[in-house]
Amino acid sequence: MPPVDDAPFTVDDYRARLDRAAQQAAGAGLAGLLIAPGPDLAHLTGYRPTADTERLTLLVVTPGRDPVLVVPALEAPDAARAVGAGALTLRDWTDAEDPYAATAPLLRTGERATGPAAGPSGERSTARFGVSDNAWAMHLLALQRALPDTSYVALTEALPMLRAVKDARELARLEAAGAAADAAYGEILGVPFAGRRESDVAADLAALLLRFGHSQVDFTVVGSGPNGANPHHEAGERVIERGDMVVLDFGGLKDGYGSDTTRTVHVGEPTAEERRVHEVVRAAQQAGFEAVRPGAACQDVDRAARGVIEDAGYGAYFIHRTGHGIGVTTHEPPYMIEGEARPLVPGMCFSVEPGIYLPGRFGVRIEDIVTVTEDGGRRLNNTSRELAIVD
């Protein structure tokens, strides 16, 4: 048997995810889920349509029924080849048919409603469906015309944790993606920085991610000197100088799952202040990591990291959340931010990435992807978090 990280997902993996999705929909009082092409469909079925067209493709997941994928007839052969196709029913439609008329029967329900979908007497006044955030408005509006007793809510609102808890094979892919990003960082430390443009180093990082197995590079932030004080600075034409602090934030997709890591390096010897700021961020990142454990609230991770930075007098310069989830996309729920009281659950994966940004001067950020274990947390990035000196 191949190692877990090389083993393909099976139809049973997708069947289990579809079953969990149906259970979560029922628990949220939803009549079902409508999953459009994108990350939710890839997660639940393994199907990634190659064509982004106006033709309706929609996975309908309803509690107590078999899931159905409505797909254009000309794309049905590709859909049937998806690994998860064996866990659902395919219903194709031709260009001579009305796809909404074909889909409408799948959304009809006469059951009594509970939760948010229920009317005052408990009878269903409308059937409320959770919908992928990236669903086309034209499709939802057409379905609503065909079924005026339906209503829709974005999955981010209704089921934000739909993809949050990863199974063993998903965790293995995230770990492999993290290891590949770590390898890219190890190599980038050996390239010249001084005298080169930020965009040159960013290109090096992108090439390294691809070399170490990524199929897609999502971002390569290279923020040198004052540009490092912008957390989402896009690598530009600034020439990196000796004496610069340089923020390196990069990631993408490997085998369908994301990587995202940040390290801050210095070109030549840093000043005492630069070392101090970096050490504060390193300590904050460690505190955030140590706060990860089952049952802790997402906001506890933010509070732990932010507290270290505030105690050091830099609280006003930590201007973003401490972390975000990662999976089939590089940014997804859960979010490590004040006010997010959802508990951490084993299998969740997210970043822990505090930073300090001093306008017009420099910035520092340190980021690892962390997964929740049965008794704490485990890092999926394992390169040194000490301040690295580069040439």
Side-chain angles (χ1 to χ4, degrees):
M1 179 177 178
V4 170
D5 57 325
D6 291 331
F9 293 139
T10 69
V11 66
D12 288 335
D13 293 324
Y14 289 113
R15 183 176 289 110
R17 293 176 200 173
L18 287 162
D19 288 345
R20 285 197 302 270
Q23 292 167 12
Q24 290 181 45
L30 298 172
L33 307 179
L34 306 181
I35 308 298
D40 295 322
L41 187 64
H43 170 72
L44 291 172
T45 70
Y47 180 44
R48 295 175 172 85
T50 56
D52 183 14
T53 74
E54 75 285 357
R55 292 183 173 92
L56 178 70
T57 297
L58 197 68
L59 173 68
V60 181
V61 179
T62 49
R65 302 181 187 174
D66 291 338
V68 178
L69 179 61
V70 178
V71 62
L74 74 170
E75 296 169 18
D78 290 337
R81 282 192 288 270
V83 176
L88 48 83
T89 299
L90 287 177
R91 182 168 298 181
D92 63 12
W93 60 275
T94 69
D95 284 351
E97 296 177 276
D98 179 350
Y100 310 108
T103 305
L106 304 175
L107 276 61
R108 290 195 178 98
T109 174
E111 298 172 0
R112 293 174 65 87
T114 60
S121 66
E123 296 297 331
R124 185 177 297 280
S125 55
T126 62
R128 189 167 181 258
F129 289 86
V131 183
S132 297
D133 294 1
N134 56 328
W136 285 31
M138 63 178 282
H139 295 320
L140 291 185
L141 293 171
L143 283 171
Q144 197 160 41
R145 285 194 298 271
L147 287 170
D149 63 341
T150 58
S151 65
Y152 309 101
V153 59
L155 282 183
T156 293
E157 178 184 343
L159 288 180
M161 300 295 110
L162 178 66
R163 305 194 312 260
V165 178
K166 274 62 180 179
D167 59 37
R169 285 194 169 95
E170 290 181 293
L171 286 172
R173 279 159 178 72
L174 285 163
E175 187 167 7
D182 285 355
Y185 175 69
E187 292 284 326
I188 205 69
L189 294 179
V191 310
F193 278 71
R196 301 177 70 213
R197 296 171 301 179
E198 292 173 339
S199 57
D200 295 330
V201 177
D204 289 341
L205 276 170
L208 286 167
L209 286 172
L210 295 173
R211 173 180 152 194
F212 288 111
H214 281 62
S215 60
Q216 176 177 313
V217 177
D218 286 344
F219 49 88
T220 51
V221 173
V222 179
S224 64
N227 288 341
N230 175 0
H232 283 172
H233 171 69
E234 292 189 9
E237 298 306 298
R238 184 182 185 275
V239 175
I240 301 170
E241 302 173 356
R242 293 196 67 80
D244 279 348
M245 195 81 90
V246 185
V247 178
L248 305 172
D249 182 357
F250 51 98
L253 297 181
K254 180 181 187 297
D255 295 327
Y257 281 76
S259 68
D260 187 1
T261 187
T262 307
R263 295 292 184 264
T264 302
V265 303
H266 197 276
V267 187
E269 281 301 313
T271 66
E273 181 190 22
E274 288 169 331
R275 285 191 179 277
R276 168 175 162 72
V277 171
H278 190 279
E279 177 56 25
V280 171
V281 174
R282 189 205 62 77
Q285 207 268 349
Q286 179 66 24
F289 169 69
E290 291 176 356
V292 176
R293 62 184 182 280
C298 292
Q299 66 184 3
D300 292 342
V301 179
D302 183 84
R303 289 174 176 178
R306 198 169 300 276
V308 172
I309 291 175
E310 289 176 344
D311 290 347
Y314 292 100
Y317 304 105
F318 181 12
I319 56 177
H320 56 72
R321 64 198 175 202
T322 292
H324 59 81
I326 190 169
V328 291
T329 59
T330 49
H331 288 75
E332 62 185 43
Y335 297 104
M336 307 301 112
I337 189 171
E338 181 65 32
E340 180 50 87
R342 286 186 178 85
L344 300 180
V345 176
M348 284 183 173
C349 294
F350 47 84
S351 65
V352 178
E353 51 176 308
I356 293 174
Y357 309 94
L358 303 179
R361 302 182 62 204
F362 64 89
V364 176
R365 182 165 66 256
I366 300 172
E367 173 186 16
D368 293 325
I369 299 302
V370 173
T371 184
V372 184
T373 65
E374 295 296 332
D375 57 3
R378 178 168 64 91
R379 285 186 167 101
L380 302 188
N381 295 107
N382 295 290
T383 57
S384 173
R385 284 163 286 278
E386 301 298 325
L387 181 59
I389 309 300
V390 297
D391 293 328

